PDB file of all heavy atoms in Angstrom:
ATOM      1  N   LEU A1404      61.555 -73.985-158.279  1.00  0.00           N
ATOM      2  CA  LEU A1404      62.241 -72.891-157.594  1.00  0.00           C
ATOM      3  C   LEU A1404      62.190 -71.667-158.495  1.00  0.00           C
ATOM      4  O   LEU A1404      62.376 -71.776-159.701  1.00  0.00           O
ATOM      5  CB  LEU A1404      63.710 -73.241-157.355  1.00  0.00           C
ATOM      6  CG  LEU A1404      64.043 -74.259-156.288  1.00  0.00           C
ATOM      7  CD1 LEU A1404      65.535 -74.576-156.328  1.00  0.00           C
ATOM      8  CD2 LEU A1404      63.665 -73.745-154.914  1.00  0.00           C
ATOM      9  N   ILE A1405      61.955 -70.518-157.929  1.00  0.00           N
ATOM     10  CA  ILE A1405      62.001 -69.259-158.670  1.00  0.00           C
ATOM     11  C   ILE A1405      63.023 -68.385-157.950  1.00  0.00           C
ATOM     12  O   ILE A1405      62.790 -67.948-156.826  1.00  0.00           O
ATOM     13  CB  ILE A1405      60.630 -68.574-158.725  1.00  0.00           C
ATOM     14  CG1 ILE A1405      59.617 -69.491-159.393  1.00  0.00           C
ATOM     15  CG2 ILE A1405      60.741 -67.245-159.463  1.00  0.00           C
ATOM     16  CD1 ILE A1405      58.202 -68.982-159.341  1.00  0.00           C
ATOM     17  N   LEU A1406      64.170 -68.208-158.598  1.00  0.00           N
ATOM     18  CA  LEU A1406      65.267 -67.470-157.991  1.00  0.00           C
ATOM     19  C   LEU A1406      65.736 -66.361-158.927  1.00  0.00           C
ATOM     20  O   LEU A1406      65.675 -66.507-160.145  1.00  0.00           O
ATOM     21  CB  LEU A1406      66.440 -68.422-157.712  1.00  0.00           C
ATOM     22  CG  LEU A1406      66.162 -69.566-156.739  1.00  0.00           C
ATOM     23  CD1 LEU A1406      67.325 -70.532-156.717  1.00  0.00           C
ATOM     24  CD2 LEU A1406      65.905 -69.020-155.348  1.00  0.00           C
ATOM     25  N   PRO A1407      66.238 -65.260-158.376  1.00  0.00           N
ATOM     26  CA  PRO A1407      66.721 -64.175-159.231  1.00  0.00           C
ATOM     27  C   PRO A1407      68.103 -64.483-159.807  1.00  0.00           C
ATOM     28  O   PRO A1407      68.956 -65.055-159.130  1.00  0.00           O
ATOM     29  CB  PRO A1407      66.785 -62.977-158.281  1.00  0.00           C
ATOM     30  CG  PRO A1407      67.009 -63.585-156.939  1.00  0.00           C
ATOM     31  CD  PRO A1407      66.271 -64.898-156.960  1.00  0.00           C
ATOM     32  N   CYS A1408      68.311 -64.091-161.040  1.00  0.00           N
ATOM     33  CA  CYS A1408      69.620 -64.213-161.672  1.00  0.00           C
ATOM     34  C   CYS A1408      70.586 -63.293-160.924  1.00  0.00           C
ATOM     35  O   CYS A1408      70.260 -62.134-160.679  1.00  0.00           O
ATOM     36  CB  CYS A1408      69.531 -63.801-163.141  1.00  0.00           C
ATOM     37  SG  CYS A1408      71.136 -63.679-163.960  1.00  0.00           S
ATOM     38  N   PRO A1409      71.789 -63.786-160.571  1.00  0.00           N
ATOM     39  CA  PRO A1409      72.730 -62.930-159.847  1.00  0.00           C
ATOM     40  C   PRO A1409      73.323 -61.817-160.713  1.00  0.00           C
ATOM     41  O   PRO A1409      73.937 -60.889-160.202  1.00  0.00           O
ATOM     42  CB  PRO A1409      73.820 -63.896-159.390  1.00  0.00           C
ATOM     43  CG  PRO A1409      73.758 -65.023-160.349  1.00  0.00           C
ATOM     44  CD  PRO A1409      72.317 -65.136-160.755  1.00  0.00           C
ATOM     45  N   TYR A1410      73.140 -61.883-162.026  1.00  0.00           N
ATOM     46  CA  TYR A1410      73.683 -60.877-162.937  1.00  0.00           C
ATOM     47  C   TYR A1410      72.673 -59.776-163.265  1.00  0.00           C
ATOM     48  O   TYR A1410      72.993 -58.605-163.220  1.00  0.00           O
ATOM     49  CB  TYR A1410      74.153 -61.525-164.240  1.00  0.00           C
ATOM     50  CG  TYR A1410      75.265 -62.514-164.037  1.00  0.00           C
ATOM     51  CD1 TYR A1410      75.002 -63.873-163.972  1.00  0.00           C
ATOM     52  CD2 TYR A1410      76.581 -62.084-163.914  1.00  0.00           C
ATOM     53  CE1 TYR A1410      76.026 -64.791-163.783  1.00  0.00           C
ATOM     54  CE2 TYR A1410      77.612 -62.991-163.731  1.00  0.00           C
ATOM     55  CZ  TYR A1410      77.329 -64.340-163.665  1.00  0.00           C
ATOM     56  OH  TYR A1410      78.338 -65.245-163.475  1.00  0.00           O
ATOM     57  N   CYS A1411      71.430 -60.175-163.625  1.00  0.00           N
ATOM     58  CA  CYS A1411      70.460 -59.181-164.081  1.00  0.00           C
ATOM     59  C   CYS A1411      69.199 -59.097-163.225  1.00  0.00           C
ATOM     60  O   CYS A1411      68.387 -58.201-163.412  1.00  0.00           O
ATOM     61  CB  CYS A1411      70.073 -59.457-165.539  1.00  0.00           C
ATOM     62  SG  CYS A1411      69.079 -60.947-165.768  1.00  0.00           S
ATOM     63  N   GLY A1412      68.994 -60.047-162.317  1.00  0.00           N
ATOM     64  CA  GLY A1412      67.840 -60.022-161.438  1.00  0.00           C
ATOM     65  C   GLY A1412      66.577 -60.648-162.006  1.00  0.00           C
ATOM     66  O   GLY A1412      65.557 -60.689-161.325  1.00  0.00           O
ATOM     67  N   ALA A1413      66.625 -61.134-163.252  1.00  0.00           N
ATOM     68  CA  ALA A1413      65.446 -61.773-163.847  1.00  0.00           C
ATOM     69  C   ALA A1413      65.086 -63.039-163.065  1.00  0.00           C
ATOM     70  O   ALA A1413      65.959 -63.727-162.550  1.00  0.00           O
ATOM     71  CB  ALA A1413      65.711 -62.124-165.302  1.00  0.00           C
ATOM     72  N   GLU A1414      63.790 -63.332-162.967  1.00  0.00           N
ATOM     73  CA  GLU A1414      63.352 -64.536-162.275  1.00  0.00           C
ATOM     74  C   GLU A1414      63.629 -65.760-163.138  1.00  0.00           C
ATOM     75  O   GLU A1414      63.196 -65.816-164.298  1.00  0.00           O
ATOM     76  CB  GLU A1414      61.867 -64.465-161.953  1.00  0.00           C
ATOM     77  CG  GLU A1414      61.530 -63.495-160.855  1.00  0.00           C
ATOM     78  CD  GLU A1414      60.074 -63.571-160.450  1.00  0.00           C
ATOM     79  OE1 GLU A1414      59.263 -64.189-161.174  1.00  0.00           O
ATOM     80  OE2 GLU A1414      59.743 -62.983-159.406  1.00  0.00           O
ATOM     81  N   LEU A1415      64.325 -66.730-162.571  1.00  0.00           N
ATOM     82  CA  LEU A1415      64.609 -67.977-163.276  1.00  0.00           C
ATOM     83  C   LEU A1415      63.826 -69.103-162.614  1.00  0.00           C
ATOM     84  O   LEU A1415      63.870 -69.266-161.394  1.00  0.00           O
ATOM     85  CB  LEU A1415      66.104 -68.282-163.243  1.00  0.00           C
ATOM     86  CG  LEU A1415      67.011 -67.225-163.864  1.00  0.00           C
ATOM     87  CD1 LEU A1415      68.464 -67.642-163.749  1.00  0.00           C
ATOM     88  CD2 LEU A1415      66.644 -66.986-165.309  1.00  0.00           C
ATOM     89  N   HIS A1416      63.096 -69.867-163.416  1.00  0.00           N
ATOM     90  CA  HIS A1416      62.313 -70.991-162.928  1.00  0.00           C
ATOM     91  C   HIS A1416      63.147 -72.245-163.100  1.00  0.00           C
ATOM     92  O   HIS A1416      63.548 -72.580-164.218  1.00  0.00           O
ATOM     93  CB  HIS A1416      61.002 -71.105-163.706  1.00  0.00           C
ATOM     94  CG  HIS A1416      60.098 -69.936-163.479  1.00  0.00           C
ATOM     95  ND1 HIS A1416      58.894 -70.052-162.855  1.00  0.00           N
ATOM     96  CD2 HIS A1416      60.239 -68.608-163.769  1.00  0.00           C
ATOM     97  CE1 HIS A1416      58.317 -68.863-162.778  1.00  0.00           C
ATOM     98  NE2 HIS A1416      59.113 -67.971-163.333  1.00  0.00           N
ATOM     99  N   ILE A1417      63.387 -72.947-162.009  1.00  0.00           N
ATOM    100  CA  ILE A1417      64.248 -74.122-162.026  1.00  0.00           C
ATOM    101  C   ILE A1417      63.403 -75.332-161.669  1.00  0.00           C
ATOM    102  O   ILE A1417      62.799 -75.401-160.589  1.00  0.00           O
ATOM    103  CB  ILE A1417      65.416 -73.950-161.042  1.00  0.00           C
ATOM    104  CG1 ILE A1417      66.182 -72.669-161.398  1.00  0.00           C
ATOM    105  CG2 ILE A1417      66.327 -75.176-161.070  1.00  0.00           C
ATOM    106  CD1 ILE A1417      67.120 -72.195-160.344  1.00  0.00           C
ATOM    107  N   GLU A1418      63.337 -76.271-162.593  1.00  0.00           N
ATOM    108  CA  GLU A1418      62.516 -77.462-162.408  1.00  0.00           C
ATOM    109  C   GLU A1418      63.116 -78.374-161.338  1.00  0.00           C
ATOM    110  O   GLU A1418      64.329 -78.410-161.128  1.00  0.00           O
ATOM    111  CB  GLU A1418      62.367 -78.222-163.723  1.00  0.00           C
ATOM    112  CG  GLU A1418      61.649 -77.427-164.802  1.00  0.00           C
ATOM    113  CD  GLU A1418      60.240 -77.049-164.396  1.00  0.00           C
ATOM    114  OE1 GLU A1418      59.535 -77.863-163.781  1.00  0.00           O
ATOM    115  OE2 GLU A1418      59.834 -75.914-164.708  1.00  0.00           O
ATOM    116  N   GLU A1419      62.257 -79.130-160.679  1.00  0.00           N
ATOM    117  CA  GLU A1419      62.668 -80.005-159.582  1.00  0.00           C
ATOM    118  C   GLU A1419      63.785 -80.968-159.988  1.00  0.00           C
ATOM    119  O   GLU A1419      64.683 -81.244-159.198  1.00  0.00           O
ATOM    120  CB  GLU A1419      61.463 -80.792-159.071  1.00  0.00           C
ATOM    121  CG  GLU A1419      61.776 -81.656-157.880  1.00  0.00           C
ATOM    122  CD  GLU A1419      60.554 -82.372-157.341  1.00  0.00           C
ATOM    123  OE1 GLU A1419      59.475 -82.290-157.951  1.00  0.00           O
ATOM    124  OE2 GLU A1419      60.697 -83.023-156.300  1.00  0.00           O
ATOM    125  N   ALA A1420      63.772 -81.451-161.213  1.00  0.00           N
ATOM    126  CA  ALA A1420      64.793 -82.394-161.672  1.00  0.00           C
ATOM    127  C   ALA A1420      66.189 -81.779-161.675  1.00  0.00           C
ATOM    128  O   ALA A1420      67.187 -82.488-161.644  1.00  0.00           O
ATOM    129  CB  ALA A1420      64.448 -82.904-163.066  1.00  0.00           C
ATOM    130  N   ASP A1421      66.269 -80.453-161.691  1.00  0.00           N
ATOM    131  CA  ASP A1421      67.553 -79.749-161.737  1.00  0.00           C
ATOM    132  C   ASP A1421      68.000 -79.226-160.379  1.00  0.00           C
ATOM    133  O   ASP A1421      68.996 -78.518-160.293  1.00  0.00           O
ATOM    134  CB  ASP A1421      67.473 -78.589-162.730  1.00  0.00           C
ATOM    135  CG  ASP A1421      67.210 -79.073-164.137  1.00  0.00           C
ATOM    136  OD1 ASP A1421      67.753 -80.128-164.508  1.00  0.00           O
ATOM    137  OD2 ASP A1421      66.452 -78.409-164.856  1.00  0.00           O
ATOM    138  N   TRP A1422      67.292 -79.561-159.307  1.00  0.00           N
ATOM    139  CA  TRP A1422      67.642 -79.086-157.968  1.00  0.00           C
ATOM    140  C   TRP A1422      68.815 -79.886-157.435  1.00  0.00           C
ATOM    141  O   TRP A1422      68.653 -80.850-156.697  1.00  0.00           O
ATOM    142  CB  TRP A1422      66.468 -79.227-157.019  1.00  0.00           C
ATOM    143  CG  TRP A1422      65.311 -78.325-157.299  1.00  0.00           C
ATOM    144  CD1 TRP A1422      65.226 -77.349-158.238  1.00  0.00           C
ATOM    145  CD2 TRP A1422      64.051 -78.340-156.636  1.00  0.00           C
ATOM    146  NE1 TRP A1422      63.993 -76.758-158.197  1.00  0.00           N
ATOM    147  CE2 TRP A1422      63.263 -77.338-157.229  1.00  0.00           C
ATOM    148  CE3 TRP A1422      63.531 -79.102-155.612  1.00  0.00           C
ATOM    149  CZ2 TRP A1422      61.965 -77.080-156.808  1.00  0.00           C
ATOM    150  CZ3 TRP A1422      62.247 -78.857-155.192  1.00  0.00           C
ATOM    151  CH2 TRP A1422      61.467 -77.847-155.785  1.00  0.00           C
ATOM    152  N   ARG A1423      70.016 -79.495-157.821  1.00  0.00           N
ATOM    153  CA  ARG A1423      71.242 -80.133-157.337  1.00  0.00           C
ATOM    154  C   ARG A1423      72.230 -79.040-156.950  1.00  0.00           C
ATOM    155  O   ARG A1423      72.434 -78.088-157.713  1.00  0.00           O
ATOM    156  CB  ARG A1423      71.873 -81.010-158.409  1.00  0.00           C
ATOM    157  CG  ARG A1423      71.049 -82.216-158.788  1.00  0.00           C
ATOM    158  CD  ARG A1423      71.740 -83.056-159.850  1.00  0.00           C
ATOM    159  NE  ARG A1423      72.362 -82.300-160.923  1.00  0.00           N
ATOM    160  CZ  ARG A1423      71.740 -81.827-161.998  1.00  0.00           C
ATOM    161  NH1 ARG A1423      70.454 -82.027-162.155  1.00  0.00           N
ATOM    162  NH2 ARG A1423      72.404 -81.163-162.924  1.00  0.00           N
ATOM    163  N   ASP A1424      72.838 -79.184-155.804  1.00  0.00           N
ATOM    164  CA  ASP A1424      73.845 -78.221-155.374  1.00  0.00           C
ATOM    165  C   ASP A1424      74.984 -78.230-156.385  1.00  0.00           C
ATOM    166  O   ASP A1424      75.520 -79.276-156.717  1.00  0.00           O
ATOM    167  CB  ASP A1424      74.355 -78.604-153.981  1.00  0.00           C
ATOM    168  CG  ASP A1424      75.190 -77.521-153.346  1.00  0.00           C
ATOM    169  OD1 ASP A1424      74.998 -76.336-153.677  1.00  0.00           O
ATOM    170  OD2 ASP A1424      76.038 -77.860-152.509  1.00  0.00           O
ATOM    171  N   GLY A1425      75.298 -77.085-156.932  1.00  0.00           N
ATOM    172  CA  GLY A1425      76.370 -76.963-157.918  1.00  0.00           C
ATOM    173  C   GLY A1425      75.912 -77.070-159.360  1.00  0.00           C
ATOM    174  O   GLY A1425      76.724 -76.979-160.271  1.00  0.00           O
ATOM    175  N   ALA A1426      74.609 -77.237-159.588  1.00  0.00           N
ATOM    176  CA  ALA A1426      74.097 -77.350-160.953  1.00  0.00           C
ATOM    177  C   ALA A1426      74.207 -76.005-161.679  1.00  0.00           C
ATOM    178  O   ALA A1426      74.008 -74.946-161.090  1.00  0.00           O
ATOM    179  CB  ALA A1426      72.635 -77.804-160.939  1.00  0.00           C
ATOM    180  N   GLY A1427      74.527 -76.047-162.949  1.00  0.00           N
ATOM    181  CA  GLY A1427      74.596 -74.841-163.768  1.00  0.00           C
ATOM    182  C   GLY A1427      73.221 -74.437-164.259  1.00  0.00           C
ATOM    183  O   GLY A1427      72.391 -75.278-164.596  1.00  0.00           O
ATOM    184  N   VAL A1428      72.967 -73.135-164.283  1.00  0.00           N
ATOM    185  CA  VAL A1428      71.697 -72.575-164.746  1.00  0.00           C
ATOM    186  C   VAL A1428      72.026 -71.439-165.711  1.00  0.00           C
ATOM    187  O   VAL A1428      72.861 -70.595-165.419  1.00  0.00           O
ATOM    188  CB  VAL A1428      70.866 -72.040-163.556  1.00  0.00           C
ATOM    189  CG1 VAL A1428      69.583 -71.403-164.049  1.00  0.00           C
ATOM    190  CG2 VAL A1428      70.576 -73.144-162.564  1.00  0.00           C
ATOM    191  N   HIS A1429      71.365 -71.441-166.863  1.00  0.00           N
ATOM    192  CA  HIS A1429      71.603 -70.408-167.872  1.00  0.00           C
ATOM    193  C   HIS A1429      70.471 -69.394-167.857  1.00  0.00           C
ATOM    194  O   HIS A1429      69.297 -69.757-167.834  1.00  0.00           O
ATOM    195  CB  HIS A1429      71.712 -71.043-169.263  1.00  0.00           C
ATOM    196  CG  HIS A1429      72.006 -70.040-170.332  1.00  0.00           C
ATOM    197  ND1 HIS A1429      73.252 -69.499-170.508  1.00  0.00           N
ATOM    198  CD2 HIS A1429      71.199 -69.455-171.245  1.00  0.00           C
ATOM    199  CE1 HIS A1429      73.213 -68.634-171.513  1.00  0.00           C
ATOM    200  NE2 HIS A1429      71.978 -68.589-171.976  1.00  0.00           N
ATOM    201  N   CYS A1430      70.813 -68.108-167.857  1.00  0.00           N
ATOM    202  CA  CYS A1430      69.811 -67.045-167.909  1.00  0.00           C
ATOM    203  C   CYS A1430      69.640 -66.605-169.360  1.00  0.00           C
ATOM    204  O   CYS A1430      70.587 -66.114-169.978  1.00  0.00           O
ATOM    205  CB  CYS A1430      70.247 -65.858-167.047  1.00  0.00           C
ATOM    206  SG  CYS A1430      69.058 -64.490-167.110  1.00  0.00           S
ATOM    207  N   ALA A1431      68.448 -66.782-169.881  1.00  0.00           N
ATOM    208  CA  ALA A1431      68.163 -66.388-171.263  1.00  0.00           C
ATOM    209  C   ALA A1431      68.056 -64.866-171.402  1.00  0.00           C
ATOM    210  O   ALA A1431      68.206 -64.342-172.501  1.00  0.00           O
ATOM    211  CB  ALA A1431      66.868 -67.043-171.726  1.00  0.00           C
ATOM    212  N   HIS A1432      67.815 -64.161-170.309  1.00  0.00           N
ATOM    213  CA  HIS A1432      67.668 -62.708-170.361  1.00  0.00           C
ATOM    214  C   HIS A1432      68.999 -61.997-170.592  1.00  0.00           C
ATOM    215  O   HIS A1432      69.088 -61.074-171.385  1.00  0.00           O
ATOM    216  CB  HIS A1432      67.022 -62.183-169.077  1.00  0.00           C
ATOM    217  CG  HIS A1432      65.651 -62.713-168.859  1.00  0.00           C
ATOM    218  ND1 HIS A1432      64.537 -62.181-169.460  1.00  0.00           N
ATOM    219  CD2 HIS A1432      65.206 -63.759-168.122  1.00  0.00           C
ATOM    220  CE1 HIS A1432      63.472 -62.861-169.099  1.00  0.00           C
ATOM    221  NE2 HIS A1432      63.850 -63.827-168.275  1.00  0.00           N
ATOM    222  N   CYS A1433      70.052 -62.421-169.871  1.00  0.00           N
ATOM    223  CA  CYS A1433      71.343 -61.738-169.986  1.00  0.00           C
ATOM    224  C   CYS A1433      72.437 -62.637-170.575  1.00  0.00           C
ATOM    225  O   CYS A1433      73.573 -62.211-170.724  1.00  0.00           O
ATOM    226  CB  CYS A1433      71.790 -61.196-168.629  1.00  0.00           C
ATOM    227  SG  CYS A1433      72.164 -62.455-167.391  1.00  0.00           S
ATOM    228  N   ASN A1434      72.067 -63.893-170.881  1.00  0.00           N
ATOM    229  CA  ASN A1434      72.975 -64.845-171.530  1.00  0.00           C
ATOM    230  C   ASN A1434      74.184 -65.210-170.666  1.00  0.00           C
ATOM    231  O   ASN A1434      75.251 -65.518-171.178  1.00  0.00           O
ATOM    232  CB  ASN A1434      73.432 -64.324-172.890  1.00  0.00           C
ATOM    233  CG  ASN A1434      73.862 -65.461-173.790  1.00  0.00           C
ATOM    234  OD1 ASN A1434      73.316 -66.551-173.727  1.00  0.00           O
ATOM    235  ND2 ASN A1434      74.855 -65.217-174.618  1.00  0.00           N
ATOM    236  N   ASN A1435      74.026 -65.168-169.339  1.00  0.00           N
ATOM    237  CA  ASN A1435      75.087 -65.573-168.423  1.00  0.00           C
ATOM    238  C   ASN A1435      74.735 -66.893-167.762  1.00  0.00           C
ATOM    239  O   ASN A1435      73.567 -67.283-167.709  1.00  0.00           O
ATOM    240  CB  ASN A1435      75.295 -64.505-167.333  1.00  0.00           C
ATOM    241  CG  ASN A1435      76.069 -63.323-167.843  1.00  0.00           C
ATOM    242  OD1 ASN A1435      77.156 -63.460-168.378  1.00  0.00           O
ATOM    243  ND2 ASN A1435      75.503 -62.137-167.684  1.00  0.00           N
ATOM    244  N   ASP A1436      75.743 -67.566-167.243  1.00  0.00           N
ATOM    245  CA  ASP A1436      75.549 -68.814-166.511  1.00  0.00           C
ATOM    246  C   ASP A1436      75.728 -68.555-165.025  1.00  0.00           C
ATOM    247  O   ASP A1436      76.594 -67.786-164.613  1.00  0.00           O
ATOM    248  CB  ASP A1436      76.547 -69.873-166.969  1.00  0.00           C
ATOM    249  CG  ASP A1436      76.307 -70.294-168.403  1.00  0.00           C
ATOM    250  OD1 ASP A1436      75.123 -70.442-168.780  1.00  0.00           O
ATOM    251  OD2 ASP A1436      77.284 -70.496-169.136  1.00  0.00           O
ATOM    252  N   ALA A1437      74.899 -69.209-164.222  1.00  0.00           N
ATOM    253  CA  ALA A1437      74.964 -69.107-162.771  1.00  0.00           C
ATOM    254  C   ALA A1437      75.034 -70.518-162.197  1.00  0.00           C
ATOM    255  O   ALA A1437      74.852 -71.504-162.915  1.00  0.00           O
ATOM    256  CB  ALA A1437      73.742 -68.368-162.232  1.00  0.00           C
ATOM    257  N   VAL A1438      75.290 -70.611-160.906  1.00  0.00           N
ATOM    258  CA  VAL A1438      75.405 -71.902-160.229  1.00  0.00           C
ATOM    259  C   VAL A1438      74.372 -71.946-159.106  1.00  0.00           C
ATOM    260  O   VAL A1438      74.253 -71.011-158.316  1.00  0.00           O
ATOM    261  CB  VAL A1438      76.825 -72.094-159.651  1.00  0.00           C
ATOM    262  CG1 VAL A1438      76.918 -73.381-158.857  1.00  0.00           C
ATOM    263  CG2 VAL A1438      77.852 -72.085-160.766  1.00  0.00           C
ATOM    264  N   LEU A1439      73.626 -73.051-159.053  1.00  0.00           N
ATOM    265  CA  LEU A1439      72.649 -73.260-157.994  1.00  0.00           C
ATOM    266  C   LEU A1439      73.383 -73.727-156.745  1.00  0.00           C
ATOM    267  O   LEU A1439      74.186 -74.660-156.798  1.00  0.00           O
ATOM    268  CB  LEU A1439      71.622 -74.302-158.437  1.00  0.00           C
ATOM    269  CG  LEU A1439      70.430 -74.556-157.528  1.00  0.00           C
ATOM    270  CD1 LEU A1439      69.614 -73.281-157.339  1.00  0.00           C
ATOM    271  CD2 LEU A1439      69.560 -75.656-158.106  1.00  0.00           C
ATOM    272  N   GLN A1440      73.122 -73.058-155.631  1.00  0.00           N
ATOM    273  CA  GLN A1440      73.833 -73.366-154.399  1.00  0.00           C
ATOM    274  C   GLN A1440      72.828 -73.616-153.284  1.00  0.00           C
ATOM    275  O   GLN A1440      71.853 -72.887-153.148  1.00  0.00           O
ATOM    276  CB  GLN A1440      74.738 -72.191-154.042  1.00  0.00           C
ATOM    277  CG  GLN A1440      75.684 -72.449-152.903  1.00  0.00           C
ATOM    278  CD  GLN A1440      76.624 -71.272-152.735  1.00  0.00           C
ATOM    279  OE1 GLN A1440      76.190 -70.162-152.432  1.00  0.00           O
ATOM    280  NE2 GLN A1440      77.894 -71.501-152.953  1.00  0.00           N
ATOM    281  N   CYS A1441      73.086 -74.665-152.495  1.00  0.00           N
ATOM    282  CA  CYS A1441      72.211 -75.012-151.381  1.00  0.00           C
ATOM    283  C   CYS A1441      72.964 -74.858-150.069  1.00  0.00           C
ATOM    284  O   CYS A1441      74.090 -75.336-149.937  1.00  0.00           O
ATOM    285  CB  CYS A1441      71.718 -76.450-151.521  1.00  0.00           C
ATOM    286  SG  CYS A1441      70.638 -76.970-150.174  1.00  0.00           S
ATOM    287  N   GLU A1442      72.317 -74.197-149.118  1.00  0.00           N
ATOM    288  CA  GLU A1442      72.868 -74.067-147.775  1.00  0.00           C
ATOM    289  C   GLU A1442      71.817 -74.597-146.811  1.00  0.00           C
ATOM    290  O   GLU A1442      70.653 -74.217-146.880  1.00  0.00           O
ATOM    291  CB  GLU A1442      73.182 -72.608-147.472  1.00  0.00           C
ATOM    292  CG  GLU A1442      73.732 -72.387-146.088  1.00  0.00           C
ATOM    293  CD  GLU A1442      74.014 -70.925-145.811  1.00  0.00           C
ATOM    294  OE1 GLU A1442      74.073 -70.124-146.758  1.00  0.00           O
ATOM    295  OE2 GLU A1442      74.159 -70.588-144.639  1.00  0.00           O
ATOM    296  N   TRP A1443      72.230 -75.514-145.941  1.00  0.00           N
ATOM    297  CA  TRP A1443      71.300 -76.094-144.979  1.00  0.00           C
ATOM    298  C   TRP A1443      71.267 -75.229-143.730  1.00  0.00           C
ATOM    299  O   TRP A1443      72.291 -74.950-143.124  1.00  0.00           O
ATOM    300  CB  TRP A1443      71.682 -77.533-144.665  1.00  0.00           C
ATOM    301  CG  TRP A1443      71.423 -78.403-145.842  1.00  0.00           C
ATOM    302  CD1 TRP A1443      72.310 -78.748-146.809  1.00  0.00           C
ATOM    303  CD2 TRP A1443      70.190 -78.999-146.217  1.00  0.00           C
ATOM    304  NE1 TRP A1443      71.705 -79.522-147.765  1.00  0.00           N
ATOM    305  CE2 TRP A1443      70.402 -79.695-147.422  1.00  0.00           C
ATOM    306  CE3 TRP A1443      68.919 -79.015-145.650  1.00  0.00           C
ATOM    307  CZ2 TRP A1443      69.391 -80.403-148.064  1.00  0.00           C
ATOM    308  CZ3 TRP A1443      67.920 -79.731-146.297  1.00  0.00           C
ATOM    309  CH2 TRP A1443      68.164 -80.405-147.478  1.00  0.00           C
ATOM    310  N   ILE A1444      70.071 -74.809-143.336  1.00  0.00           N
ATOM    311  CA  ILE A1444      69.864 -73.923-142.201  1.00  0.00           C
ATOM    312  C   ILE A1444      69.551 -74.765-140.962  1.00  0.00           C
ATOM    313  O   ILE A1444      68.898 -75.799-141.048  1.00  0.00           O
ATOM    314  CB  ILE A1444      68.695 -72.949-142.474  1.00  0.00           C
ATOM    315  CG1 ILE A1444      68.928 -72.197-143.787  1.00  0.00           C
ATOM    316  CG2 ILE A1444      68.497 -71.985-141.322  1.00  0.00           C
ATOM    317  CD1 ILE A1444      70.199 -71.396-143.841  1.00  0.00           C
ATOM    318  N   GLY A1445      69.966 -74.289-139.827  1.00  0.00           N
ATOM    319  CA  GLY A1445      69.715 -75.014-138.577  1.00  0.00           C
ATOM    320  C   GLY A1445      70.570 -76.262-138.515  1.00  0.00           C
ATOM    321  O   GLY A1445      71.766 -76.228-138.760  1.00  0.00           O
ATOM    322  N   HIS A1446      69.957 -77.360-138.249  1.00  0.00           N
ATOM    323  CA  HIS A1446      70.675 -78.631-138.159  1.00  0.00           C
ATOM    324  C   HIS A1446      70.440 -79.479-139.407  1.00  0.00           C
ATOM    325  O   HIS A1446      70.282 -80.693-139.323  1.00  0.00           O
ATOM    326  CB  HIS A1446      70.248 -79.395-136.901  1.00  0.00           C
ATOM    327  CG  HIS A1446      70.630 -78.686-135.645  1.00  0.00           C
ATOM    328  ND1 HIS A1446      71.920 -78.636-135.186  1.00  0.00           N
ATOM    329  CD2 HIS A1446      69.891 -77.968-134.760  1.00  0.00           C
ATOM    330  CE1 HIS A1446      71.967 -77.929-134.079  1.00  0.00           C
ATOM    331  NE2 HIS A1446      70.745 -77.504-133.800  1.00  0.00           N
TER     332      HIS A1446
END
């Protein structure tokens, strides 16, 4: 997964092993922590 940091916008690469709803992700660019969130679309 390549997602933008919610603090600085830097692209963060998240390995498949870490794809868990609620998992913590650290941004090395701005030194902040973010949370990975999953929303199911449709059904």
